[in-house]
Amino acid sequence: NKGEEGSLGEQGLEGLLGPAGPDGDQGDMGEKGNTGPQGPPGQTGIPGQPGSASTWSSGFLLVLHSQSETEPFCPEGMTRLWTGYSLLYFEGQEKAHNQDLGLAGSCLPVFSTMPFTYCNVNQVCYYASRNDKSYWLSSAAPLPMMPLSDEEIEHYISRCVVCEAPAQAVAVHSQDQSIPSCPPNWRSLWIGYSFLM
């Protein structure tokens, strides 16, 4: 005779982890699919930052002299290239050299009572050896009664600035007491008196 079925026994302990199986074979790579249709155009992007100042050079220079120890400013819309001291004239090697105040060479970045030396073919240089002199545009400061030394003289020398302009500066003379007008689409930089020579 078959006996009655017994009650369910307790769960046994977890068995040990078996060893790893061998690597499977690598399957073949499938073929590249076709390119899908082009998507709709994207939204318009936000505006970019303003561009930096232009790097092109116009080649037109404007030189301003303050006739004071304060550096002058370039007119609006012009770029400052350098500032300096207003050189008028110098004598070197017993020869005179005047300097047009409207040219960039009249604005020297460094002040020196003798801004040049004389060198011979043997590359021997002489400093102010022939009674050389330099003349600078003065400031409006009252002239001192005693000689000056070192940097004290700089307070009595006019300062200048060389500016890059978008076009050549043009002077218009009225030949009477009235102030002439600028040509159309030009703006006035300053007014003054007509100097001939």
Side-chain angles (χ1 to χ4, degrees), residues 134-193:
S134 66
Y135 297 84
W136 301 79
L137 187 63
S138 66
S139 69
L143 293 176
M145 301 308 285
M146 299 295 292
L148 300 170
S149 61
D150 300 328
E151 290 84 23
E152 292 175 340
I153 195 171
E154 292 183 14
H155 301 292
Y156 300 92
I157 307 298
S158 171
R159 298 304 302 270
C160 53
V161 63
V162 178
C163 311
E164 184 181 38
Q168 185 68 47
V170 174
V172 180
H173 301 269
S174 66
Q175 293 189 282
D176 62 23
Q177 294 296 314
S178 65
I179 297 173
S181 300
C182 290
N185 300 322
W186 288 66
R187 64 185 171 98
S188 175
L189 298 175
W190 67 83
I191 58 173
Y193 296 90

Side-chain angles (χ1 to χ4, degrees), residues 36-96:
Q38 184 174 353
Q43 295 178 345
T44 303
I46 59 173
Q49 296 289 333
S52 61
S54 67
T55 57
W56 61 270
S57 176
S58 68
F60 297 112
L61 300 181
L62 180 71
V63 185
L64 300 174
H65 302 272
S66 68
Q67 292 189 270
S68 73
E69 62 177 309
T70 304
E71 293 177 352
F73 293 100
C74 288
E76 185 180 350
M78 297 186 191
T79 304
R80 183 178 82 171
L81 298 180
W82 72 84
T83 60
Y85 299 86
S86 306
L87 175 67
L88 275 175
Y89 173 94
F90 60 87
E91 293 176 9
Q93 301 179 41
E94 301 172 356
K95 294 184 174 120

